[in-house]
Amino acid sequence: MLVSTLAWCFLPYFTLATVTLSDPSDIIPPAIWAADNAIVPNYSDPFLSVQPSPIIAAYEFDGNNSTSIDHLSLSTFENQTSVILAANGAELNLSYVNILKEGYSEDLIEASFWGFNAAINVANASTAYFDHVNVTVHNGAANIYAYGTGTVIYLENAWLYSSGPVSHGVYASGNGTVYASHVSHYSGGKRSSSFSGDSPAGYVHISDSTAHSAGVGSATYYALGEIHADNVVSISENGPVVFMDGQQKAYLRHCDATAGLLGGVALFSSAVRASGALLSVASSKITTLGDEMPGLWFGNLIIDVTLHDTEIVTASGVLIVSNFSQITQDFDHYADYSEQPNLAPAIVNVTVSESDLVGDLVAYNESSITLALTSYSNWTGAAYAGYGNAYFDISLDSTSYWILTNTTTVQNFTSEDATLSNIYSSGFDVYYNSSAVLNSYLNGQTLSLPGGGKAIPSS
Ligand SMILES: *[C@@H]1O[C@H](CO)[C@@H](O)[C@H](O)[C@H]1NC(C)=O
Ligand SMILES: *[C@@H]1O[C@H](CO)[C@@H](O)[C@H](O)[C@H]1NC(C)=O
Ligand SMILES: *[C@@H]1O[C@H](CO)[C@@H](O)[C@H](O)[C@H]1NC(C)=O
Ligand SMILES: *[C@@H]1O[C@H](CO)[C@@H](O)[C@H](O)[C@H]1NC(C)=O
Ligand SMILES: *[C@@H]1O[C@H](CO)[C@@H](O)[C@H](O)[C@H]1NC(C)=O
Ligand SMILES: *[C@@H]1O[C@H](CO)[C@@H](O)[C@H](O)[C@H]1NC(C)=O
Ligand SMILES: *[C@@H]1O[C@H](CO)[C@@H](O)[C@H](O)[C@H]1NC(C)=O
Ligand SMILES: *[C@@H]1O[C@H](CO)[C@@H](O)[C@H](O)[C@H]1NC(C)=O
Ligand SMILES: *[C@@H]1O[C@H](CO)[C@@H](O)[C@H](O)[C@H]1NC(C)=O
Ligand SMILES: *[C@@H]1O[C@H](CO)[C@@H](O)[C@H](O)[C@H]1NC(C)=O
Ligand SMILES: *[C@@H]1O[C@H](CO)[C@@H](O)[C@H](O)[C@H]1NC(C)=O
Ligand SMILES: *[C@@H]1O[C@H](CO)[C@@H](O)[C@H](O)[C@H]1NC(C)=O
């Protein structure tokens, strides 16, 4: 069950009342499949760099074959076997079709990355139009998997349920693309994100949908490639809203998303630090549930973030973390150098517009955060180092305010209002680096801030 406070997604009028949305776990209780959901994937199996062949399926559509199926129920209970494979230029349409898949995979990396054992595998420049489909899977299998350049799946009105590990809802890999709308998703297993991409890229467009993932390592969105989400209400009970590995892009608009583990987002590079990653969140709300979970977490990554008309609600009081760290294949903790020697500090550049943000900025071990408040934005909080040196650049346009909650040391400190009347200090001070390139307008002076604090030069 999903509880949303942003009802505009699903009601024809605006209201801030709490609404309760149903999801597939209201129909098939996860408790029935608890043993399946307890399976821990073994990711030490060797990684296969080419798609294993053949992919076995109960129903295969291969080559230049155009097929349309409606009002049918298809299933398989065989291990290592998909229900449907459409491959090598196939076109397959399914309308009012129920798919039931049970059966294990011998190799969960193969199952996850290559869609082995997926209920529906659409591969190699194939096209699929699916509407009104019920895809139910157990024992660890993706619901709908798209693979390869030129593969496109159009999905509408889908009910997706899974139990078992690596059971992603909508999954695009090898440059495959999915356009999905009106999807209702539930996964109970580990590493079973609702909407996922995989290497080298998957392009996932998802709108007007709900998603509920319960297992550790299961996010609402796993960005490897691009995620475009619009009007999605989601909860990931044991994961962040977004995982991202490397130079990927995630765009969330009109989303109400709740995260229960790690952070509201947890974006990292699993190998050498990547740059050029992008996160854009507009007219959305991200809520984190854990006492220590930050709103936005970044490690071993260089990223640009834009937050427009967006609310971030944390129980921890930590808004953004920039860290010398990353996420391991366990997906349940932040790793240090002993687990991942490729680490480098994170460089996080956040541009905020039309938003009222609350919480602290925390950077670790040479990491940095640049926060630009523009277009009537406010930030209530302070910035501090979690460990070692940390660098913060803060800028405000003339319509934005910083409400200090503690004394803070910054590098660049730029305010369009050179008198700093838009910094409400509550008696706290801001130490600014008098030799930082953008601070010359302050002439190295000590200035009084509204509320009794001061802006004080430091070298
Ligand atoms: C995981 O897989 C590796 C390599 O195949 C194997 O050596 C190891 O025993 C497996 N671990 C478990 C817990 O099954
Ligand atoms: C996709 O194409 C590759 C390369 O030609 C081939 O090895 C693989 O078996 C194909 N996949 C399927 C599911 O037919
Ligand atoms: C499908 O048709 C295209 C265009 O006619 C052709 O290039 C391709 O080889 C065909 N693929 C298969 C698997 O028959
Ligand atoms: C397409 O595939 C279906 C299912 O395998 C088969 O029944 C049909 O004959 C094929 N059509 C063509 C034109 O190959
Ligand atoms: C599949 O659906 C698409 C989109 O509605 C349509 O253009 C195409 O002709 C359909 N193909 C078949 C075989 O029915
Ligand atoms: C399927 O896999 C399960 C778990 O590994 C095993 O117990 C079962 O015997 C397998 N079934 C078949 C038909 O091989
Ligand atoms: C989808 O199918 C499963 C069994 O395959 C069934 O238990 C479930 O109720 C179906 N969902 C809907 C919404 O009908
Ligand atoms: C994905 O795209 C890249 C870059 O165009 C290409 O090199 C690679 O072969 C593609 N992979 C697949 C599985 O189509
Ligand atoms: C931060 O992002 C903004 C907007 O995306 C961009 O204009 C600016 O140049 C970036 N700043 C840095 C230091 O990368
Ligand atoms: C920021 O605070 C100002 C002054 O209190 C207020 O007018 C404005 O609406 C706030 N902006 C947002 C996005 O809440
Ligand atoms: C303010 O910062 C000081 C020094 O870093 C710290 O000891 C104190 O707990 C902070 N207070 C709050 C309210 O965060
Ligand atoms: C200040 O901002 C400029 C321009 O974005 C940047 O080059 C510099 O590294 C920042 N920090 C300091 C300490 O000057």
Side-chain angles (χ1 to χ4, degrees):
M1 193 184 292
L2 287 168
V3 174
S4 168
T5 50
L6 286 190
W8 40 257
C9 297
F10 291 90
L11 295 178
Y13 52 87
F14 184 88
T15 163
L16 276 176
T18 296
V19 291
T20 300
L21 305 168
S22 74
D23 73 61
S25 71
D26 298 321
I27 295 185
I28 305 180
I32 301 175
W33 293 95
D36 217 18
N37 291 331
I39 296 171
V40 180
N42 181 356
Y43 263 53
S44 303
D45 281 333
F47 181 78
L48 302 171
S49 58
V50 293
Q51 188 173 33
S53 187
I55 286 179
I56 303 153
Y59 303 89
E60 297 190 358
F61 305 88
D62 204 311
N64 294 330
N65 186 337
S66 252
T67 311
S68 188
I69 295 173
D70 62 281
H71 301 91
L72 258 190
S73 292
L74 305 173
S75 63
T76 186
F77 296 84
E78 298 292 327
N79 291 343
Q80 301 262 90
T81 304
S82 290
V83 178
I84 287 178
L85 170 67
N88 306 311
E91 178 178 294
L92 176 66
N93 293 3
L94 302 176
S95 187
Y96 294 93
V97 168
N98 296 325
I99 307 278
L100 177 60
K101 160 73 194 140
E102 288 186 36
Y104 295 88
S105 172
E106 277 166 17
D107 179 337
L108 287 170
I109 295 193
E110 202 173 274
S112 176
F113 186 75
W114 296 107
F116 250 69
N117 212 40
I120 302 179
N121 187 323
V122 179
N124 290 357
S126 297
T127 307
Y129 294 88
F130 300 154
D131 68 87
H132 301 91
V133 289
N134 170 342
V135 184
T136 303
V137 302
H138 302 295
N139 313 147
N143 291 88
I144 296 179
Y145 176 83
Y147 179 77
T149 304
T151 291
V152 185
I153 300 177
Y154 301 90
L155 177 67
E156 259 200 62
N157 291 300
W159 192 90
L160 307 178
Y161 182 96
S162 74
S163 65
V166 306
S167 296
H168 305 272
V170 169
Y171 195 13
S173 181
N175 313 323
T177 301
V178 182
Y179 294 93
S181 68
H182 300 100
V183 172
S184 183
H185 171 261
Y186 175 82
S187 67
K190 300 190 194 330
R191 289 178 208 229
S192 304
S193 296
S194 301
F195 310 115
S196 309
D198 215 328
S199 274
Y203 301 90
V204 178
H205 302 254
I206 178 96
S207 59
D208 305 316
S209 293
T210 59
H212 179 180
S213 58
V216 170
S218 308
T220 300
Y221 311 99
Y222 198 109
L224 229 161
E226 295 181 12
I227 298 285
H228 300 260
D230 193 351
N231 260 347
V232 178
V233 177
S234 69
I235 180 164
S236 20
E237 286 181 40
N238 281 294
V241 176
V242 186
F243 273 131
M244 176 186 290
D245 184 355
Q247 187 205 340
Q248 320 300 343
K249 296 180 166 60
Y251 304 85
L252 274 54
R253 201 169 142 256
H254 297 150
C255 289
D256 182 1
T258 302
L261 194 68
L262 295 172
V265 305
L267 313 192
F268 59 96
S269 313
S270 62
V272 171
R273 181 180 70 182
S275 64
L278 196 148
L279 172 69
S280 163
V281 186
S283 302
S284 292
K285 180 180 177 188
I286 291 177
T287 304
T288 64
L289 300 176
D291 286 348
E292 297 188 349
M293 288 173 65
L296 309 177
W297 186 95
F298 308 92
N300 196 36
L301 186 66
I302 300 176
I303 186 164
D304 282 339
V305 179
T306 59
L307 303 175
H308 175 76
D309 180 28
T310 281
E311 198 184 344
I312 297 179
V313 181
T314 67
S316 66
V318 177
L319 182 63
I320 302 172
V321 167
S322 178
N323 207 337
F324 186 93
S325 172
Q326 61 115 284
I327 312 286
T328 69
Q329 292 288 330
D330 298 322
F331 291 111
D332 62 356
H333 67 286
Y334 297 121
D336 67 16
Y337 189 80
S338 67
E339 288 179 277
Q340 163 55 289
N342 287 314
L343 292 180
I347 302 177
V348 177
N349 173 28
V350 184
T351 304
V352 183
S353 53
E354 306 288 349
S355 303
D356 199 357
L357 298 178
V358 179
D360 292 337
L361 312 185
V362 188
Y364 293 74
N365 204 3
E366 305 293 329
S367 295
S368 65
I369 298 173
T370 297
L371 185 71
L373 300 166
T374 73
S375 298
Y376 301 89
S377 293
N378 304 314
W379 170 42
T380 303
Y384 59 89
Y387 173 83
N389 292 324
Y391 304 102
F392 304 98
D393 286 0
I394 307 292
S395 74
L396 298 97
D397 74 2
S398 60
T399 63
S400 299
Y401 295 89
W402 177 9
I403 298 99
L404 275 166
T405 56
N406 207 342
T407 289
T408 294
T409 298
V410 300
Q411 300 298 316
N412 288 306
F413 179 44
T414 45
S415 170
E416 253 178 28
D417 175 352
T419 66
L420 305 183
S421 69
N422 49 350
I423 321 287
Y424 294 165
S425 71
S426 311
F428 297 113
D429 299 325
V430 176
Y431 288 90
Y432 68 91
N433 180 346
S434 54
S435 46
V437 291
L438 301 180
N439 290 346
S440 56
Y441 76 106
L442 293 171
N443 295 318
Q445 294 174 65
T446 295
L447 279 85
S448 295
L449 302 174
K454 293 185 176 63
I456 302 167
S458 64
S459 48

